[in-house]
Amino acid sequence: MNDAGLVGAILFYFAAAFTLAFAVGVIIAKTPLRGALSLIATLCGVALLFLLLDASFIAALQVLVYAGAIMVLFVFVIMMLNLGPDAGARPAYLSVAKLLGAAAAAYFTARIIADVTGGAGKPVDGSVKAVGTLLLTDFLFAFEAISVLLLVAVVGAVVLGLKRLT
Amino acid sequence: MSWTTILPMHFVMVAALLFGIGTAGAIIRRNALTLLMSIELMLNAANLAFITFARQHGGAEAQIYVF
């Protein structure tokens, strides 16, 4: 293994451990705010993994859109609603649900991992130019369809908000 | 300009573990916001798997899907 490969391997294991540790932090956090902060760290770790996979444009978008915009929205909502630790009643069967949920998640994860095979990867051009060209030529229709979908979502949000105001 | 010699399989394993953690969170937590954040985790795991397969096949098309 050459030098760059070694650095890549160290970065991969660091990013993977970072991502998974903070992902666990999201679901065991006592308060939603801590969960949201852990989720920001998780998303940054996933962005680092994207970088290692030659997807630099997607990694930048991940940090800008997810860790930036969407998580700001989450934190904003949490602070506006002033959620305390574990708002809402917790029924007695929750420990059984916890066991069942953990077991189900472990089972599906094991199934996925057991089924995965494959050889070495090939280098991909994930620059803004390559992805943008592909997006606006071969995938133009899907791109425009997504735009319309987003427009519908915006209009729906405005309509729902107005209805609540009046 | 390849950064890493790690096999794509390992990235898929990370994605699967991330998805499993998200699933567990979605099942065991009752808080609506935590539920949403768990679903966000699962979504990111799917994105990571997409990008990994894009690399495995040497094409940038799957990166469009993530976008």
Side-chain angles (χ1 to χ4, degrees):
Chain A
M1 193 181 283
N2 56 2
D3 245 10
L6 189 64
V7 172
I10 291 171
L11 267 179
F12 167 73
Y13 286 115
F14 170 73
F18 185 86
T19 306
L20 292 177
F22 277 103
V24 171
V26 172
I27 68 168
I28 65 170
K30 286 273 193 295
T31 64
L33 189 57
R34 280 191 194 177
L37 293 180
S38 296
L39 187 54
I40 294 177
T42 309
L43 296 176
C44 290
V46 173
L48 189 53
L49 288 175
F50 284 171
L51 265 186
L52 288 174
L53 285 168
D54 295 342
S56 50
F57 179 49
I58 302 291
L61 279 187
Q62 172 90 359
V63 172
L64 282 179
V65 175
Y66 272 103
I70 293 183
M71 289 319 293
V72 164
L73 195 69
F74 263 96
V75 173
F76 187 75
V77 168
I78 289 169
M79 294 209 163
M80 200 166 70
L81 297 180
N82 207 3
L83 289 177
D86 267 338
R90 312 195 65 159
Y93 61 80
L94 198 64
S95 54
V96 182
K98 261 182 188 169
L99 273 181
L100 276 180
Y107 174 71
F108 288 123
T109 310
R111 280 300 296 274
I112 294 173
I113 288 180
D115 284 347
V116 167
T117 53
K122 303 178 191 111
V124 177
D125 188 9
S127 64
V128 182
K129 190 181 173 195
V131 175
T133 307
L134 206 55
L135 188 64
L136 291 178
T137 53
D138 290 0
F139 293 87
L140 184 60
F141 179 73
F143 183 70
E144 295 298 337
I146 284 287
S147 314
V148 174
L149 191 66
L150 276 177
L151 183 67
V152 169
V154 169
V155 171
V158 169
V159 167
L160 286 178
L162 274 182
K163 202 172 281 178
R164 197 157 302 163
L165 272 183
T166 51
Chain B
M1 15 172 279
S2 195
W3 274 64
T4 174
T5 51
I6 296 277
L7 291 178
M9 197 175 74
H10 294 194
F11 284 91
V12 179
M13 278 185 187
V14 174
L17 283 173
L18 204 58
F19 193 86
I21 292 171
T23 316
I27 293 176
I28 67 177
R29 297 302 297 260
R30 305 193 66 247
N31 196 326
L33 264 171
T34 314
L35 209 67
L36 266 179
M37 290 196 279
S38 300
I39 291 173
E40 203 79 20
L41 275 182
M42 293 156 77
L43 195 73
N44 267 280
N47 282 353
L48 184 57
F50 259 132
I51 299 275
T52 308
F53 292 135
R55 183 182 163 81
Q56 192 163 14
H57 292 283
E61 283 89 354
Q63 296 190 5
I64 304 293
Y65 291 110
V66 174
F67 180 82

